[in-house]
Amino acid sequence: MPTVELETIKAATREKMAHLQYRVLVCNGTGCIANGARQVYNAFLTKTGACRNLVSVKTGDPCHMVGLISQTGCHGLCQMGPLVLIRANNGFKDVFYCGVREPDVAEIVEETIKKGRIVDRLLYTNPQSGELCRNPGEIPFYARQNRLALAECGLIDPESIEEYIQGGGYSMLRRAALEMTPREVCELIRDSGLRGRGGAGFPTGRKWLAMLEQPGKPGEPRYLVCNGDEGDPGAFMDRSLMEGDPHRLLEGAMIAAFAAGATVGYFYIRTEYPLAVQRVRQAINDARRLGILGENLFGSGFRFDCDVVEGAGAFVCGEETALLASIEGKRGMPRHKPPFPAQEGLFGKPTVVNNVETLATIRYIMEQGVSAFRRFGTVLSPGTKTFALTGRVRHTGLIEVPMGTTLREVIYEIGGGIPGDKKFKAAQIGGPSGGCLGETHLDLSLDFENLTALGAMVGSGGIVVMDEETCIVEVSRFFMQFTQEESCGKCVLCREGTKQMLALLQDIVDGTAELEHLSLLEETARAVKAASLCGLGKSAPNPVLSTLTLFRNEYLAHIERRLCPAGACQALKVYAVNPDLCKGCTLCVSKCPAGAIHGEKRQAHRIDVTSCTKCGVCATICKFKAITAA
Amino acid sequence: MNIATATHTQKSSRQFLRVDDILDRFHHNPAKLIAILQAVQEEYRYLPEPVLSYVATRIKIPRARVFGVATFYSHFSLKPKGKHIIKICDGTACHVNKSGHLLDLIHKKLGLSDKKRTTDDLLFTVEKVSCLGACGLAPVVVIDERVHPQVQTAHLTQLIDELMHEEE
C-alpha cells in the first residue's frame, strides 16, 4: 500500500472548503436528537439546497459548493438544544442559535445565511445580565471552559476523516511513528503528568512504559484496549467524545499503541450507545481506507489494526480485568491483580487499557508540548477534565475545565446555578463509586487528591447536583441498589454486603428502621470497602459513608422522627384532600394516572390510599391547593 | 445414531439456518460469543433456550458457559419481549428528576412490576435502564428507540394511551 500523504488530503480538503461562504453545524448529540435535531438538519438541507457532505464533492464537481451543512457531535449545552452554529467565510462572525425548531430554519436561511442578519429570538440570553449572546465565547457556560479533549467536538463533521486531517489530524501519529521512539513517546506522556481519566487516575505514561518493558515472544500479538464502556449512571463524556470526534480518539489510541508496543486494538463500547459504535467503526474503516491504519504506517514499519467490540450492559466491565474477560467472550468478572494486564492481559498477552478521554487528550499533549498541558490543572493533577453536569442545575451538559476548578465555579458560573431559586444541597461526583460533597465543599478544588481524601472520587466525571428537594438517604439507597444489581457476585462481601446495605437503607427510607440500623450500616460498609476484590466493591460504600458523615441528621430524622426532611420519600408521605378547600372540580380525578381519586362533582373528593402511587400530579394541578402531602 | 435422532438433527438444523449464518459470520469463534448472542437476540428479539444450546454445540463450548454469559449481561433476555419496548432511564440525573414516579405509573398502568416486565398479550415490555447518556434531558423515556426528553407523568400517560389506542 502506498504511504498516505496527509498534506495532499489536507490541501485538497482546504481547496474544497475555500469556496464555502457559510458552514452550518447542527448538533447531533443524543440530547439534541431527542429534541428534534435531525428534522432541523433535514430542513437546512432542503431550504438551502447545499451539498451536504464534503467527501461526496469531487474536485471540479459541477455542484459548486457554497454552503456546507454538517451534523456534528455534542456542543455541550444539551438543555438548550437543538443547537446550531453558523460560521461564514466573509468576515461574518459565528452565530450560535439554541432551541432551534424545524419551522425556524426557513427564517435562519433567509435572514442569517442570505442577508447576514441575526435572528434575536434564537440567541442565548445571559440569565444574569439579560444580554443576548451571539457566539459561544460570550456565553458563560462556554467562556469558563478550556477544551483540550473536546477541542473540535461540535465544530467538525465527525464522519469526515478529510476534515479531521485538514485540522492537523494524524500528523502527531506520523511524528511519533517517524521521528520518535516508543520510549520517547512514553516519556513525553509521563512528563506531562497525564493521569488516566477513567477514575483511578493512574499515570498514563507509566502504564505505557510498563507495557513497553514487558518482554513478549516475537510475533505474538500485544493489545491496546480502549475502555468506552461508561456504565456510570449520570455520565456521558465518553459517549460524546466517541460520537463527536472519533478520529481524535483513534489517533490517540494509535499513538498509545505505538508507544506501548501494541499491534492489535479493541474499542469496547456500550451497545446502548449505537451512534458511538457506528461513528468509531466508520472512523476505523475510513482510516484503514486511507492507509492510516494497517501495515507499515507512514513507511515507519509500525503496524496496527483495530476493531470495535460491543459491550452487553454490565457496569463491572468498567473494571479492566472484567472488561478483558468480556472481550474474550466470557462473563465479565474481575480477577486479582497482579498479574497486571500489562503482564498478562487479553488472551494472556501484554495489554494496555486506557479510557476514552485519556486517549483523546494525547493529541493535544503531542501537539502543544508538556508545558502547555501543565499550564492547566494542579501540580499533581495536570490538564483538564470533562464532566457531565446534570441534575438540579440550570445548564446541564458536557463541560471541560482545568483540574482544580472549584465546585462553586462549576455549578454557579458554568452551570448557571440551581433553577427555581432552590437551595444547593449536595453534589454527587463520580457516580455510584463516588461520594457526596456538601455546601462546605463548594470551594474545594476538584482534583484526584482532594476528592479521594474526602471519600469521593473523580470517577468517570459525572456531577449530579441536588437541591433541597432531593433526599440524600434515598439517593444513597439508589446507588446501593445500582451497585448491588451490578455486583458480579464473585466475592462474598460485595455480593452479600451490598445486599445487606441495601436492605438497611430500604428500611430507613421506608420509615421502619431502628437506631441500630445506622451502626450496622456503617460496619457493613467498612467491611465491604476493605475486603472486596475489585474497584466496584471497594468503592460501592462510598456514597453511603460520605453521606453518613455529611448528612447524618437526615438519616436520623428518617429513623427517629419517621420524617423525610426533603419531603421526597414516598413511604413517609401521604396525599390527602382537604375537604374545606376542595371545590369538587374533578380535575384531579381526570388527571390521576392511577385512578385513585374518587368523588362527585361539587363535593369534596377523597384519595384512595391503597391505589395512590403518590406521584403528586394531583397536588400540582389542584387550583385550590386542596391536596397536600403530609 | 438412531433414526429418531438423525431426523431430529436434520429438523433442527433447518430451524437454525439463521443461527448458522450468524455463526459463520463470526467464524464459530468462542471469543465472539457475546457478539454472536447479540446477533441472535437481534434476530429473535430474545434468546430462545434451544438456540443457546445449539450455539454451544456448534462453537464447541459447554452449554453452561453460553448460559452463564447470556444471564450475566443485562442486555440479554431469555424471555420474549413485547412488541413495544418502553425504557425508563433510572440514571442518577433521571432519578433525581423523579424517574421513579414514571416507572411506578407505567407499572401500575400496564399491570407490570420489577419481576414481570412484559404484558401477557406481548404488546409491551417495560425496562428500567441504568443510564442512556442523555442526562442533560432528564428524566428520559425511550419508546421503541425514540427518545422522549424531560418527560412528566401526564406526558407519559398520554404517550402510552396513544400506543394502546393504536393497537386496538
Side-chain angles (χ1 to χ4, degrees):
Chain A
M1 182 175 281
T3 311
V4 55
E5 287 288 341
L6 293 179
E7 266 61 37
T8 321
I9 299 171
K10 216 166 165 175
T13 316
R14 189 159 292 161
E15 168 68 21
K16 284 178 205 163
M17 301 278 261
H19 303 297
L20 285 186
Q21 284 161 22
Y22 61 88
R23 174 98 200 249
V24 180
L25 299 153
V26 183
C27 178
N28 220 238
T30 309
C32 284
I33 290 180
N35 274 325
R38 287 254 158 86
Q39 289 89 317
V40 170
Y41 171 72
N42 289 330
F44 267 110
L45 287 185
T46 49
K47 295 278 186 248
T48 59
C51 295
R52 78 182 75 179
N53 197 329
L54 195 62
V55 194
S56 68
V57 183
K58 294 184 194 80
T59 330
D61 194 301
C63 163
H64 177 58
M65 219 170 49
V66 286
L68 180 65
I69 324 277
S70 306
Q71 306 190 71
T72 71
C74 183
H75 288 247
L77 193 53
C78 302
Q79 200 162 31
M80 312 288 287
L83 306 170
V84 175
L85 182 68
I86 298 171
R87 326 187 92 173
N89 269 350
N90 47 8
F92 173 90
K93 273 198 214 146
D94 290 0
V95 188
F96 182 77
Y97 289 135
C98 45
V100 179
R101 302 281 155 191
E102 203 181 335
D104 298 324
V105 173
E107 194 179 346
I108 297 177
V109 172
E110 230 17 72
E111 291 293 313
T112 312
I113 291 179
K114 292 201 179 145
K115 298 182 190 141
R117 289 194 210 132
I118 309 281
V119 183
D120 280 352
R121 73 186 155 83
L122 295 173
L123 291 177
Y124 174 89
T125 318
N126 185 331
Q128 261 99 44
S129 64
E131 277 171 42
L132 293 177
C133 303
R134 193 192 143 115
N135 66 49
E138 296 167 15
I139 300 174
F141 179 84
Y142 288 106
R144 306 274 322 184
Q145 297 188 42
N146 294 95
R147 297 185 151 217
L148 313 187
L150 293 171
E152 287 183 296
C153 194
L155 299 178
I156 60 166
D157 181 349
E159 296 187 5
S160 162
I161 189 170
E162 283 83 0
E163 194 176 348
Y164 180 73
I165 292 174
Q166 198 234 331
Y170 291 115
S171 55
M172 287 304 116
L173 169 67
R174 183 178 58 186
R175 204 186 99 202
L178 291 181
E179 297 166 25
M180 296 171 83
T181 63
R183 180 166 291 275
E184 280 168 349
V185 181
C186 288
E187 282 167 359
L188 177 83
I189 299 300
R190 186 194 58 195
D191 295 343
S192 76
L194 174 67
R195 299 171 65 169
R197 298 300 195 233
F202 191 81
T204 306
R206 266 174 52 198
K207 202 182 226 180
W208 293 1
L209 268 174
M211 160 95 165
L212 185 67
E213 285 163 359
Q214 190 60 36
K217 294 188 193 102
E220 252 186 9
R222 295 157 77 96
Y223 298 96
L224 169 111
V225 173
C226 170
N227 180 355
D229 193 45
E230 194 168 61
D232 271 48
F236 53 95
M237 296 78 53
D238 292 351
R239 169 178 202 156
S240 305
L241 268 167
M242 290 186 283
E243 289 178 0
D245 202 353
H247 286 287
R248 182 175 297 262
L249 171 64
L250 183 57
E251 185 176 3
M254 292 181 71
I255 294 172
F258 173 77
T263 48
V264 180
Y266 288 105
F267 289 86
Y268 188 86
I269 305 174
R270 295 186 81 180
T271 187
E272 286 94 332
Y273 290 176
L275 191 59
V277 171
Q278 179 218 317
R279 291 250 166 95
V280 174
R281 227 171 231 157
Q282 184 173 348
I284 292 172
N285 288 338
D286 287 346
R288 199 180 286 135
R289 170 173 59 86
L290 291 183
I292 291 171
L293 205 58
E295 299 288 326
N296 192 19
L297 298 174
F298 302 105
S300 67
F302 169 53
R303 75 187 162 93
F304 181 71
D305 208 344
C306 53
D307 202 359
V308 171
V309 175
E310 284 181 55
F315 178 64
V316 70
C317 289
E319 186 71 25
E320 56 184 3
T321 51
L323 191 158
L324 297 177
S326 181
I327 298 181
E328 291 172 8
K330 300 180 184 145
R331 296 169 73 125
M333 287 193 170
R335 60 158 174 83
H336 270 291
K337 290 191 279 189
F340 291 98
Q343 301 161 306
E344 255 179 57
L346 195 60
F347 302 110
K349 304 289 182 291
T351 303
V352 63
V353 185
N354 282 134
N355 169 267
V356 168
E357 193 188 334
T358 318
L359 294 176
T361 312
I362 301 299
R363 179 177 151 192
Y364 181 88
I365 300 174
M366 295 280 293
E367 245 168 22
Q368 307 293 327
V370 165
S371 56
F373 182 71
R374 280 193 173 271
R375 270 209 327 267
F376 301 102
T378 62
V379 179
L380 291 175
S381 307
T384 57
K385 174 83 191 88
T386 57
F387 288 105
L389 184 62
T390 58
R392 298 302 182 96
V393 61
R394 198 167 273 130
H395 295 327
T396 56
L398 177 72
I399 62 169
E400 182 170 350
V401 291
M403 282 272 182
T405 305
T406 66
L407 196 55
R408 190 185 298 279
E409 285 172 295
V410 169
I411 296 175
Y412 287 94
E413 293 179 27
I414 296 174
I418 319 280
D421 291 323
K422 295 274 172 14
K423 234 175 114 234
F424 168 79
K425 183 171 188 174
Q428 213 285 339
I429 174 163
S433 329
C436 270
L437 301 179
E439 227 182 329
T440 45
H441 303 120
L442 273 175
D443 293 305
L444 177 88
S445 126
L446 298 176
D447 58 46
F448 287 108
E449 280 71 29
N450 273 339
L451 287 170
T452 314
L454 279 169
M457 64 195 274
V458 176
S460 58
I463 300 185
V464 182
V465 181
M466 300 176 223
D467 65 11
E468 52 195 330
E469 286 183 358
T470 320
C471 174
I472 289 289
V473 188
E474 210 286 320
V475 171
S476 300
R477 186 208 61 83
F478 163 74
F479 281 122
M480 196 43 67
Q481 182 178 352
F482 180 81
T483 37
Q484 193 267 321
E485 280 169 9
E486 295 293 336
S487 168
C488 79
K490 185 169 182 172
C491 53
V492 179
L493 268 153
C494 178
R495 184 181 67 232
E496 301 299 329
T498 54
K499 194 165 189 169
Q500 287 311 315
M501 287 172 72
L502 174 63
L504 291 167
L505 285 162
Q506 188 70 52
D507 282 353
I508 301 179
V509 170
D510 287 345
T512 55
E514 300 304 327
L515 214 49
E516 294 87 77
H517 275 61
L518 271 194
S519 46
L520 194 54
L521 182 63
E522 265 180 308
E523 201 181 311
T524 322
R526 296 235 158 78
V528 173
K529 199 176 164 76
S532 289
L533 171 68
C534 81
L536 188 145
K538 281 197 174 87
S539 61
N542 282 351
V544 176
L545 288 171
S546 69
T547 52
L548 268 173
T549 323
L550 273 176
F551 299 97
R552 200 175 191 91
N553 280 340
E554 252 184 70
Y555 281 87
L556 288 173
H558 281 76
I559 297 171
E560 291 173 339
R561 293 185 284 147
R562 304 278 185 246
L563 181 85
C564 173
C569 286
Q570 297 290 341
L572 303 175
K573 211 189 246 181
V574 180
Y575 281 91
V577 182
N578 180 343
D580 298 336
L581 293 174
C582 180
K583 303 274 189 265
C585 71
T586 72
L587 180 65
C588 56
V589 179
S590 63
K591 293 286 181 197
C592 175
I597 311 184
H598 308 282
E600 298 293 316
K601 249 188 180 163
R602 282 185 282 283
Q603 278 177 27
H605 295 348
R606 55 180 182 77
I607 298 176
D608 176 17
V609 191
T610 46
S611 49
C612 173
T613 57
K614 303 177 184 185
C615 69
V617 166
C618 50
T620 44
I621 55 139
C622 179
K623 290 175 185 148
F624 310 103
K625 297 193 167 45
I627 305 180
T628 44
Chain B
M1 192 193 287
N2 62 36
I3 298 167
T5 345
T7 359
H8 179 73
T9 322
Q10 264 175 13
K11 197 177 153 211
S12 44
S13 55
R14 257 204 312 279
Q15 241 177 323
F16 295 136
L17 265 181
R18 301 243 173 175
V19 183
D20 279 331
D21 286 346
I22 292 168
L23 290 171
D24 286 342
R25 190 150 34 104
F26 294 102
H27 312 290
H28 292 72
N29 182 355
K32 301 276 183 207
L33 178 60
I34 293 173
I36 290 171
L37 295 184
Q38 275 166 343
V40 169
Q41 180 156 295
E42 205 160 293
E43 185 66 41
Y44 290 84
R45 304 216 338 259
Y46 77 109
L47 298 175
E49 293 203 19
V51 178
L52 290 181
S53 305
Y54 183 71
V55 168
T57 323
R58 293 302 308 274
I59 62 176
K60 300 191 180 80
I61 54 173
R63 259 164 49 98
R65 203 182 127 196
V66 176
F67 278 85
V69 167
T71 49
F72 184 82
Y73 294 96
S74 62
H75 181 63
F76 296 128
S77 169
L78 271 70
K79 287 195 190 123
K81 288 194 185 183
K83 183 175 168 196
H84 300 288
I85 300 193
I86 301 161
K87 292 181 186 160
I88 312 271
C89 180
D90 198 29
T92 320
C94 290
H95 189 80
V96 169
N97 282 311
K98 311 207 155 83
S99 59
H101 288 171
L102 300 178
L103 190 68
D104 287 347
L105 162 71
I106 199 152
H107 275 166
K108 202 135 206 168
K109 203 167 167 66
L110 297 173
L112 298 174
S113 68
D114 280 341
K115 301 249 155 50
K116 180 175 160 44
R117 295 191 183 149
T118 302
T119 51
D120 292 330
D121 54 8
L122 282 183
L123 273 182
F124 297 99
T125 293
V126 175
E127 292 175 345
K128 185 180 86 174
V129 294
S130 46
C131 189
L132 293 163
C135 315
L137 306 164
V140 176
V141 174
V142 179
I143 302 178
D144 298 333
E145 304 295 307
R146 180 146 182 224
V147 185
H148 298 270
Q150 291 167 326
V151 177
Q152 302 296 313
T153 36
H155 185 200
L156 183 63
T157 317
Q158 189 196 332
L159 288 171
I160 302 302
D161 284 345
E162 278 167 20
L163 265 186
M164 288 169 115
H165 192 73
E166 249 173 56
E167 288 300 332
E168 269 165 19

